[in-house]
Amino acid sequence: MQRRPRILVIGYNGNHCSEKAYDLAYRVGREIAKRNGIVITGGLGGVMEASCKGASDDGGLSVGIVPQEDDSMANSYADIVIPTGVGYARDFINVYTADAVIIIGGGAGTLIEVSAAYLRSKPIFALAGSGGVADEVADTFIDDRKNVKIESGKDPAEVVEGAFAAIKKAS
Amino acid sequence: MQRRPRILVIGYNGNHCSEKAYDLAYRVGREIAKRNGIVITGGLGGVMEASCKGASDDGGLSVGIVPQEDDSMANSYADIVIPTGVGYARDFINVYTADAVIIIGGGAGTLIEVSAAYLRSKPIFALAGSGGVADEVADTFIDDRKNVKIESGKDPAEVVEGAFAAIKKAS
Amino acid sequence: MQRRPRILVIGYNGNHCSEKAYDLAYRVGREIAKRNGIVITGGLGGVMEASCKGASDDGGLSVGIVPQEDDSMANSYADIVIPTGVGYARDFINVYTADAVIIIGGGAGTLIEVSAAYLRSKPIFALAGSGGVADEVADTFIDDRKNVKIESGKDPAEVVEGAFAAIKKAS
Amino acid sequence: MQRRPRILVIGYNGNHCSEKAYDLAYRVGREIAKRNGIVITGGLGGVMEASCKGASDDGGLSVGIVPQEDDSMANSYADIVIPTGVGYARDFINVYTADAVIIIGGGAGTLIEVSAAYLRSKPIFALAGSGGVADEVADTFIDDRKNVKIESGKDPAEVVEGAFAAIKKAS
């Protein structure tokens, strides 16, 4: 069985998301859906919501893996909500579920997910110019291990294309 | 947004699953898919595999929430694998993700999921005659709290119908 | 290095704990402390609190592994609080931390911990006459695997003595 | 009840720990023990082992919160091992258990713990000159939230003194 690629989209949450980052995440969601990928997110607001919405508007499928024990905080666009009840430890579950990761802005929480993805040597793509963690880690390694270099791309289509290419190469 | 109902199917794992229980779980998976529900399972063998296979054969959708950090142990029929990396603590995630629970046989691991579902007052249905925990807990409460009585049904269609009715009533 | 034995005490929580069960748990805590064991509990009320208090009154050491992300709900007698932030998934951490388990009463939550301990083949002792799960599972196996028989004892000294003997035998 | 302060020591693991970082961590462990604090660590090698050893040599108490389901990978100096079975999600448990955090070197895993501590606004102290993440984050904020500035100190006594002072101030 060939499963559909799962792309984790991370970045600014609902409290810190610029309009620009929201729009970029929305377009990333659409690009993933167009290529028959599944959008994986942390299921809450900001970049998480926007990418689920994008997938939804393109008839795609999205999963929201939330920290809470129920669906009450999930955004309205995630098709399947996975309430983990493990709090922010769900960041690791997001990463384990990802075949590739796309970063749009983000702060300390995003940095946790990037670091976890790096430790697991997942393909990681930063959307250049989206701010925060995405711009800080673009084109770098996280530490001396040099597990995986974080790639960067200039627009939604480019990073999504890169993610699908990396998944294809790894499979 | 109206999300599709999520039915958790639990019971014998791959090491302890009778042919009868496997067949019952397969039919439960088909019945859930027919009604446009999503089959949620622990993603491994036995009842988990059979219900994913049933959903697949009816064009339905299934999610496998596995204990491991990657997909390597997941059965081949789960459409979306969620590797949690939290070991058997993923039993709670299964339960939190469920709008209703169906039990087919099962041992101590199944009893953990039934107890967790009971503590959260989820609708629970035991398939009568499927053996193990399903038959032990059918038509009982788990403790003095009397949170929720575990219902029983005589065949796959009946328990699945019961689960959908309970979800509709709760929403 | 020879570490001190860790005895997990489980049973009725603060909302469902009889005076009798509280007193038994207190005495179990003292008996563990007397033998230089460490009392491990879920860190909240009822049996968890009483066994920490017993250890404290005998100059012993107790650990409270709580579901929350901070200490705010921990009982006042646990010497070391471990806030897990993983909710009731901390039940598994309690069990993994235990060299042996003692049951005093209890409901569905206790049944989860007993089942988890059984799956890991930990030595388990039920205090006879303490009610609830303790009396239900005393002198039984949880399922057909027959991993480990749950022993029973008539008073705190007997179950604690049994737990220490089982740990010594296993080491 | 006044509980003993819990200081989390994080940094290079056993595969990446320089002799210098090991020695610094050992001395941090001793300084914590001298002040009657409890050393909290991830329970494995490198900085985790060294700080437990330091505490041990000064008659102090240390806790090792490990990713595994049993004690088998724990270092020999941790007095109390907490096997979590949740894999690297235990990084969050380490942080929740900390009243303050001390960083000695470290890579991506350490960065996860620093970010988690920052999100919870815990007092954080980097040992200057210890390399890796400690030197990268010293005297900075992790993101625009400016939750808490990471302090730095030039030697073990200074960072431990700082940690105790911060805990006292917060209580």
Side-chain angles (χ1 to χ4, degrees):
Chain A
M1 175 185 186
Q2 185 64 28
R3 292 200 182 90
R4 293 164 66 179
R6 296 161 299 180
I7 317 284
L8 175 65
V9 187
I10 60 177
Y12 292 125
N13 66 29
N15 299 323
H16 302 85
C17 192
S18 63
E19 209 171 305
K20 181 183 170 188
Y22 193 94
D23 179 60
L24 287 168
Y26 173 84
R27 289 162 56 201
V28 162
R30 291 197 76 137
E31 294 288 341
I32 294 170
K34 256 189 223 168
R35 289 164 178 80
N36 203 33
I38 301 176
V39 171
I40 308 292
T41 75
L44 304 178
V47 160
M48 299 175 266
E49 178 182 298
S51 56
C52 289
K53 188 168 192 292
S56 175
D57 285 354
D58 226 295
L61 185 63
S62 68
V63 177
I65 302 174
V66 299
Q68 292 81 16
E69 297 184 357
D70 61 35
D71 301 354
S72 57
M73 303 291 286
N75 70 62
S76 343
Y77 304 99
D79 294 299
I80 305 176
V81 178
I82 310 285
T84 63
V86 298
Y88 288 99
R90 77 82 156 78
D91 288 358
F92 287 93
I93 304 180
N94 289 352
V95 165
Y96 298 150
T97 302
D99 297 310
V101 180
I102 291 173
I103 319 169
I104 302 167
T110 302
L111 191 55
I112 290 174
E113 289 170 295
V114 173
S115 302
Y118 172 87
L119 284 169
R120 307 293 297 177
S121 300
K122 305 267 181 175
I124 310 173
F125 296 81
L127 194 43
S130 60
V133 166
D135 286 327
E136 283 162 34
V137 300
D139 305 308
T140 72
F141 294 97
I142 296 280
D143 67 16
D144 294 341
R145 288 178 186 90
K146 307 207 168 188
N147 278 3
V148 62
K149 191 176 179 181
I150 297 168
E151 306 287 338
S152 68
K154 67 177 187 314
D155 61 35
E158 188 178 331
V159 289
V160 172
E161 197 53 55
F164 275 80
I167 294 169
K168 194 168 177 188
K169 199 175 153 192
S171 69
Chain B
M1 177 189 183
Q2 184 64 29
R3 291 198 182 91
R4 293 165 66 180
R6 297 161 298 179
I7 318 283
L8 174 65
V9 187
I10 60 176
Y12 291 125
N13 66 30
N15 299 323
H16 301 86
C17 192
S18 63
E19 208 171 308
K20 181 184 169 186
Y22 193 94
D23 178 60
L24 287 168
Y26 173 83
R27 289 161 57 202
V28 163
R30 292 197 73 138
E31 295 288 340
I32 293 169
K34 257 188 224 169
R35 289 165 178 80
N36 203 32
I38 301 175
V39 171
I40 308 291
T41 76
L44 306 177
V47 159
M48 298 175 267
E49 176 182 298
S51 55
C52 289
K53 188 170 193 293
S56 175
D57 285 355
D58 228 295
L61 185 64
S62 68
V63 178
I65 302 173
V66 300
Q68 292 81 16
E69 296 184 359
D70 60 35
D71 300 355
S72 57
M73 304 291 286
N75 70 62
S76 345
Y77 304 100
D79 294 299
I80 305 176
V81 178
I82 310 285
T84 62
V86 297
Y88 288 100
R90 76 82 155 78
D91 288 358
F92 286 93
I93 303 179
N94 289 351
V95 165
Y96 298 149
T97 302
D99 296 310
V101 181
I102 291 173
I103 319 169
I104 301 167
T110 302
L111 191 54
I112 290 173
E113 288 170 296
V114 173
S115 302
Y118 172 86
L119 283 169
R120 306 292 296 176
S121 300
K122 304 268 181 176
I124 310 173
F125 295 82
L127 194 43
S130 60
V133 165
D135 286 328
E136 283 163 33
V137 301
D139 305 308
T140 71
F141 294 96
I142 296 279
D143 68 14
D144 294 342
R145 287 180 186 91
K146 305 208 169 187
N147 279 4
V148 61
K149 191 176 178 180
I150 297 168
E151 306 287 338
S152 68
K154 65 177 190 313
D155 61 35
E158 189 178 330
V159 290
V160 172
E161 197 54 55
F164 275 81
I167 294 168
K168 195 169 176 186
K169 200 176 151 191
S171 68
Chain C
M1 177 188 183
Q2 184 65 30
R3 291 198 184 91
R4 293 164 66 180
R6 296 162 299 181
I7 317 284
L8 174 64
V9 186
I10 60 176
Y12 291 125
N13 65 30
N15 299 323
H16 301 85
C17 192
S18 63
E19 209 172 306
K20 182 184 169 185
Y22 193 95
D23 178 60
L24 287 167
Y26 174 83
R27 289 163 56 201
V28 162
R30 292 197 74 138
E31 295 288 341
I32 293 170
K34 258 188 223 169
R35 289 165 179 79
N36 202 33
I38 301 175
V39 171
I40 307 292
T41 76
L44 305 178
V47 159
M48 298 175 267
E49 178 182 298
S51 55
C52 290
K53 188 170 192 293
S56 175
D57 285 355
D58 227 295
L61 185 64
S62 68
V63 177
I65 301 173
V66 300
Q68 292 81 17
E69 296 183 358
D70 61 33
D71 301 354
S72 57
M73 304 291 286
N75 70 61
S76 343
Y77 304 100
D79 294 299
I80 305 175
V81 177
I82 309 286
T84 63
V86 297
Y88 287 100
R90 76 83 154 77
D91 288 358
F92 286 93
I93 303 180
N94 289 352
V95 165
Y96 297 150
T97 302
D99 298 308
V101 181
I102 291 173
I103 319 169
I104 301 168
T110 302
L111 191 54
I112 290 174
E113 289 171 294
V114 172
S115 303
Y118 172 86
L119 284 169
R120 306 292 297 177
S121 300
K122 304 268 181 175
I124 310 173
F125 295 81
L127 193 44
S130 61
V133 165
D135 286 328
E136 282 162 33
V137 300
D139 306 308
T140 72
F141 294 97
I142 295 279
D143 68 16
D144 293 342
R145 287 180 187 91
K146 306 209 168 186
N147 279 3
V148 62
K149 192 177 179 181
I150 297 169
E151 306 286 339
S152 69
K154 65 176 189 316
D155 61 35
E158 189 178 329
V159 291
V160 172
E161 196 55 54
F164 275 81
I167 293 169
K168 195 168 176 187
K169 200 175 152 191
S171 68
Chain D
M1 176 189 184
Q2 184 64 28
R3 292 200 182 90
R4 293 165 65 179
R6 296 162 298 180
I7 318 284
L8 174 65
V9 187
I10 60 177
Y12 291 125
N13 67 29
N15 299 323
H16 302 85
C17 192
S18 62
E19 208 171 307
K20 181 183 170 187
Y22 193 94
D23 178 60
L24 287 168
Y26 174 83
R27 288 162 57 201
V28 162
R30 291 198 75 141
E31 295 288 340
I32 294 170
K34 256 188 224 169
R35 290 164 178 79
N36 203 34
I38 301 176
V39 171
I40 308 292
T41 76
L44 305 177
V47 159
M48 299 175 266
E49 178 182 297
S51 55
C52 289
K53 188 169 192 294
S56 176
D57 285 354
D58 227 293
L61 185 64
S62 68
V63 177
I65 302 174
V66 300
Q68 292 82 16
E69 296 185 359
D70 60 35
D71 301 354
S72 57
M73 303 292 286
N75 70 61
S76 342
Y77 304 100
D79 294 299
I80 305 176
V81 178
I82 309 286
T84 63
V86 297
Y88 288 100
R90 75 82 155 80
D91 288 358
F92 287 93
I93 304 180
N94 289 351
V95 165
Y96 298 150
T97 302
D99 297 309
V101 180
I102 291 173
I103 320 169
I104 302 167
T110 302
L111 191 55
I112 290 173
E113 289 170 296
V114 173
S115 302
Y118 172 86
L119 284 169
R120 307 292 296 175
S121 300
K122 304 267 182 177
I124 311 173
F125 296 81
L127 194 42
S130 60
V133 166
D135 286 327
E136 283 162 34
V137 300
D139 304 308
T140 72
F141 294 97
I142 296 281
D143 68 14
D144 294 342
R145 287 178 186 92
K146 307 209 168 186
N147 279 3
V148 60
K149 191 176 179 181
I150 298 169
E151 306 287 338
S152 68
K154 66 177 189 313
D155 62 34
E158 187 178 332
V159 289
V160 172
E161 197 54 54
F164 275 81
I167 294 170
K168 195 169 176 186
K169 200 175 152 193
S171 68

